[in-house]
Amino acid sequence: MEESRVTILSCPPIYDLIFSCLDYPDLIHISKTCRTARKAVSYFCLRAYNINKHLSHFFNDPIAFRNLQARTSSLISGSNVLQFLDRTYFEDADLDIFVHHIHSQEVGHWILAEGYEFVPTVIQSARLDKSNPSFEDVEGFSDLIESGSTEDEISDYPLGSLVANVFTFQKEDKKVQLIGTIGSPMPCVLAFHCTCVMNFFTHDRAYSLYPKATFISRKTVGVKARSKREKDGLKKYASRGWEVITQECQIRRSELKGLFFLNKERHPRDEYCWQVPFSIEDIEPRYLCQHNPALYNSWVMERPLKTNDYSDYIMSSSYVLKHRALSNTYRVESRWLEKALGKLVKTELEGVRRPLRAPIEARIYKVLGDKFDEYFNIPTADLEDLAI
């Protein structure tokens, strides 16, 4: 019997069929039974969560994109990330890239070089020169990037305090949306209409903020889901198999707290998140230790006391840390942390009024990151195991 088990776990075509039917926590349990099982699970996950293969559906050179992603601290989020982590397929899942708006031109140029065409909205009345596609060939494109758009809503992302501009690119049946954010892209992820899409890719790993609810219990709650567009979004994920909790009778309070960690201060590297590390074999070494502003935000999930509507949760990040010399902003829930980080910034940047050169800014970000990690007691090495 022992020999048969080892034989199965030594044959990828066999154990791939078995493992593909299991949730990630079950894979973790299997991996802890013996060294052969651990090795088999590890190899399966490398294939099942192959980010280069996933991105190659959109880009000819996924490695080049991931290096661009590292350089600009851009995130991929939305339903495309959800389907990747769920090991499923959504027919209409386009690629949504979130990047600080100061990098919109650089990322947009790269997308055009991959053969995509810019598809302007009604207010983006620019025309694209198809024979030599570049943003300079689009009338007014640079102005849009620098000043943002005034349209109330473009595609799925409303403009306002978090989003400066949204640009759509098309190549055959493939669609890429570039969302230029005001400050760090992370608050946009926290502003999604429901918890099941609060997942994102950086250049080196995937993060899920509510993995137990999303991938095990397959439940989600709405976050300020008040408009028709947001309520339609909830219906879309209900049709894809998630139970949308809208009433108190649908779930026990203890289960609700256990799945969504109400009133707890959270951050993307806490013990409640799921991290899936990617291969970094071809990522330029200089990017591997680079500060990623998405990881240095915190939030608390709350439900307003005066409502019974379970689609009206709030992701609270009460304090915003920013400085005119820094390109990134940070949103944190703790007043103490905001004061501590603010004091560091004031000390380090006293008298500075212009944007910093990259090496100096990188040093400031490291100081801020170390203080953030100290506050949350985050070990130097990121956890790679699943939290669900």
Side-chain angles (χ1 to χ4, degrees):
M1 185 70 173
E2 178 74 16
E3 184 178 349
S4 299
R5 177 168 62 86
V6 172
T7 301
I8 290 173
L9 292 175
S10 301
C11 185
I14 296 178
Y15 68 66
D16 276 3
L17 289 173
I18 299 172
F19 291 170
S20 65
C21 301
L22 303 179
D23 292 322
Y24 199 97
D26 296 327
L27 294 176
I28 294 296
H29 294 151
I30 290 175
S31 73
K32 293 179 179 179
T33 59
C34 67
R35 281 180 292 181
T36 304
R38 183 176 181 82
K39 188 176 180 180
V41 170
S42 178
Y43 285 154
F44 170 77
C45 288
L46 285 175
R47 292 188 293 275
Y49 299 105
N50 186 330
I51 187 61
N52 292 333
K53 181 179 179 181
H54 182 75
L55 291 176
S56 66
H57 176 70
F58 292 93
F59 302 131
N60 298 322
D61 192 347
I63 294 294
F65 174 76
R66 290 175 60 202
N67 277 286
L68 172 73
Q69 197 179 1
R71 186 165 63 251
T72 59
S73 298
S74 22
L75 305 179
I76 296 174
S77 194
S79 58
N80 190 278
V81 180
L82 178 62
Q83 70 170 3
F84 174 86
L85 292 173
D86 198 38
R87 307 204 309 267
T88 187
Y89 173 73
F90 303 144
E91 188 174 350
D92 56 345
D94 51 15
L95 194 70
D96 297 336
I97 303 169
F98 294 78
V99 65
H100 193 299
H101 70 88
I102 64 174
H103 298 296
S104 293
Q105 276 207 44
E106 181 181 2
V107 178
H109 271 292
W110 192 93
I111 296 171
L112 287 174
E114 279 278 306
Y116 281 82
E117 293 184 2
F118 171 54
V119 182
T121 63
V122 174
I123 67 163
Q124 295 169 335
S125 57
R127 291 181 297 177
L128 184 64
D129 184 347
K130 297 181 180 179
S131 62
N132 182 26
S134 70
F135 282 176
E136 284 76 8
D137 295 327
V138 185
E139 181 185 350
F141 196 96
S142 296
D143 293 337
L144 280 171
I145 286 181
E146 292 179 4
S147 63
S149 170
T150 57
E151 189 177 8
D152 290 335
E153 188 173 301
I154 297 178
S155 186
D156 297 327
Y157 300 100
L159 305 186
S161 62
L162 300 179
V163 177
N165 41 56
V166 182
F167 302 102
T168 300
F169 303 87
Q170 195 87 30
K171 182 168 72 172
E172 299 174 350
D173 61 339
K174 300 168 188 175
K175 179 181 174 183
V176 174
Q177 281 199 307
L178 177 62
I179 299 95
T181 64
I182 301 173
S184 167
M186 187 62 191
C188 289
V189 176
L190 297 173
F192 283 154
H193 53 69
C194 61
T195 55
C196 70
V197 285
M198 292 182 181
N199 318 289
F200 62 92
F201 296 152
T202 61
H203 68 284
D204 64 345
R205 62 185 60 206
Y207 294 83
S208 177
L209 306 188
Y210 293 93
K212 188 174 181 180
T214 302
F215 301 107
I216 305 303
S217 298
R218 303 193 77 79
K219 299 181 190 299
T220 187
V221 294
V223 178
K224 291 186 178 179
R226 300 166 184 170
S227 69
K228 182 181 184 303
R229 179 183 62 83
E230 291 161 339
K231 290 185 181 297
D232 286 345
L234 294 180
K235 292 178 182 178
K236 178 173 72 173
Y237 287 101
S239 70
R240 289 174 171 175
W242 276 269
E243 180 184 359
V244 180
I245 307 300
T246 58
Q247 297 179 352
E248 188 173 359
C249 61
Q250 288 181 258
I251 190 171
R252 299 189 305 274
R253 288 190 179 183
S254 59
E255 184 183 6
L256 188 71
K257 289 184 178 181
L259 292 178
F260 300 103
F261 317 109
L262 302 182
N263 303 316
K264 287 181 181 287
E265 188 172 13
R266 302 280 315 281
H267 62 88
R269 292 176 291 162
D270 65 22
E271 66 270 30
Y272 306 116
C273 289
W274 174 20
Q275 298 182 40
V276 178
F278 301 145
S279 169
I280 55 174
E281 182 178 354
D282 295 310
I283 302 299
E284 293 183 35
R286 58 181 169 147
Y287 298 139
L288 297 181
C289 298
Q290 186 168 294
H291 174 93
N292 191 322
L295 306 182
Y296 299 95
N297 291 263
S298 67
W299 73 93
V300 170
M301 185 175 182
E302 302 171 334
R303 186 166 70 89
L305 297 177
K306 297 182 180 181
T307 178
N308 292 319
D309 186 355
Y310 272 53
S311 62
D312 198 29
Y313 281 84
I314 294 174
M315 307 297 283
S316 172
S317 294
S318 302
Y319 305 102
V320 179
L321 178 70
K322 60 183 178 180
H323 191 280
R324 68 183 67 188
L326 298 175
S327 57
N328 287 304
T329 58
Y330 301 85
R331 292 172 182 258
V332 296
E333 177 57 25
S334 164
R335 178 61 174 167
W336 184 93
L337 180 59
E338 188 269 339
K339 282 186 174 181
L341 296 179
K343 185 177 180 181
L344 280 174
V345 170
K346 186 176 180 180
T347 301
E348 295 283 344
L349 299 178
E350 186 173 4
V352 178
R353 297 184 178 276
R354 295 183 179 180
L356 299 173
R357 290 179 296 168
I360 301 176
E361 190 175 42
R363 181 180 65 80
I364 301 298
Y365 286 152
K366 185 179 186 309
V367 171
L368 293 175
D370 289 346
K371 177 60 70 173
F372 187 95
D373 291 353
E374 178 186 337
Y375 174 79
F376 284 107
N377 195 27
I378 300 173
T380 303
D382 283 339
L383 297 175
E384 294 188 0
D385 286 337
L386 179 66
I388 59 178

